Amino acid sequence: MVRWQVFTLLCLVNFVGAQQQDSIPVGFQVKFNNQPFEMGKTYTANEQTLAISAFKCYVSGFSLVYADGSSTTNKDYHLLDIDRPETFRFNVGGDPKKKLSKISFIIGVDSLTSVSGAMPGDLDPIKGMFWAWQSGYINMKIEGTSPFCQTRKNEFQFHIGGYLKPNDALRKIEMETTKPEIEIDLVAFFSQVKLSEQNSVMIPGKAAMQLADLSIKMFHPE
């Protein structure tokens, strides 16, 4: 009995070790105008001042392409949450012994997952990123305040999502890089948004599609 327990333990250790060897750490860093982002700090973009109070974003479907032309794909979903710094670093399946040449991933949650009902982990509706099965998941959420917003408490709310055509707001990011370290520079988003005119997007539609197009400009290799 003892030998069987020892054998089982060794198998488990080897399995966990194999999992660790077959994964690559991926890191994201949020910035504003090339500087590390600070919650509550007042920033300027497009000649307008603003403060960001929430940033959440789903990243999924990672694909790693190596220098030898081989690749690894993953379907895992990860929720980046500015209130939880630990969410910006995680492992994806890959070969750490190979040199990386390109990485790609999706901003958002695919249609099949959106209609699959309540999901666990990062996809749990308790995370505050699920509208309803008709609308699916919110791919990206950016909230804050600006004196340029003529709204209650000068708030802006951008909830970008939608999975049904013609309002499919999923966007693919592709970049050439030798290391899986990615920057998200929020200034690229706010430099294209005039908060006095556009400060609230809460449902799928044309406006969400336009903001989804803007969002991809925030992502680039470190």
Side-chain angles (χ1 to χ4, degrees):
M1 185 66 174
V2 173
R3 289 182 178 179
W4 175 252
Q5 290 175 334
V6 171
F7 175 76
T8 302
L9 179 60
L10 289 174
C11 288
L12 178 60
V13 170
N14 289 334
F15 175 71
V16 172
Q19 282 188 315
Q20 292 174 342
Q21 292 174 359
D22 293 336
S23 65
I24 295 177
V26 174
F28 288 80
Q29 184 177 7
V30 181
K31 293 190 174 184
F32 201 102
N33 200 19
N34 294 319
Q35 298 300 314
F37 173 77
E38 297 179 37
M39 186 74 78
K41 182 178 179 179
T42 298
Y43 291 99
T44 301
N46 197 18
E47 299 183 346
Q48 54 197 354
T49 55
L50 59 103
I52 298 168
S53 59
F55 174 77
K56 294 183 179 183
C57 174
Y58 276 112
V59 289
S60 62
F62 280 82
S63 176
L64 306 176
V65 179
Y66 307 104
D68 63 4
S70 62
S71 62
T72 305
T73 58
N74 308 263
K75 194 181 178 181
D76 295 345
Y77 302 92
H78 301 275
L79 177 60
L80 310 180
D81 184 349
I82 200 67
D83 284 329
R84 299 173 59 222
E86 69 275 11
T87 63
F88 285 81
R89 186 164 291 276
F90 49 84
N91 289 342
V92 299
D95 190 340
K97 299 184 295 296
K98 291 186 176 182
K99 183 178 180 181
L100 188 67
S101 66
K102 185 183 297 184
I103 186 171
S104 66
F105 56 91
I106 301 295
I107 303 174
V109 178
D110 63 77
S111 59
L112 179 60
T113 303
S114 291
V115 299
S116 296
M119 304 285 282
D122 280 3
L123 294 172
D124 193 321
I126 199 173
K127 304 290 186 180
M129 294 290 284
F130 187 72
W131 277 316
W133 71 267
Q134 297 96 329
S135 303
Y137 283 89
I138 301 170
N139 297 335
M140 180 179 292
K141 179 183 289 188
I142 307 176
E143 298 177 346
T145 58
S146 170
F148 288 79
C149 296
Q150 302 303 309
T151 57
R152 182 177 176 272
K153 297 183 179 181
N154 302 118
E155 295 176 333
F156 59 80
Q157 296 178 307
F158 298 120
H159 294 186
I160 306 167
Y163 67 90
L164 294 174
K165 295 184 180 301
N167 297 314
D168 182 356
L170 267 72
R171 294 294 183 269
K172 186 174 184 178
I173 304 291
E174 293 182 296
M175 58 183 70
E176 295 184 359
T177 180
T178 57
K179 60 179 183 178
E181 298 292 331
I182 302 158
E183 292 184 355
I184 307 173
D185 199 330
L186 296 171
V187 73
F189 181 86
F190 286 99
S191 293
Q192 303 297 317
V193 176
K194 195 170 184 179
L195 292 172
S196 60
E197 298 177 359
Q198 187 176 35
N199 45 57
S200 181
V201 174
M202 305 292 285
I203 59 174
K206 182 178 180 180
M209 291 285 284
Q210 293 172 341
L211 294 181
D213 289 337
L214 292 181
S215 70
I216 63 177
K217 298 178 181 180
M218 300 190 296
F219 293 79
H220 56 85
E222 186 179 68

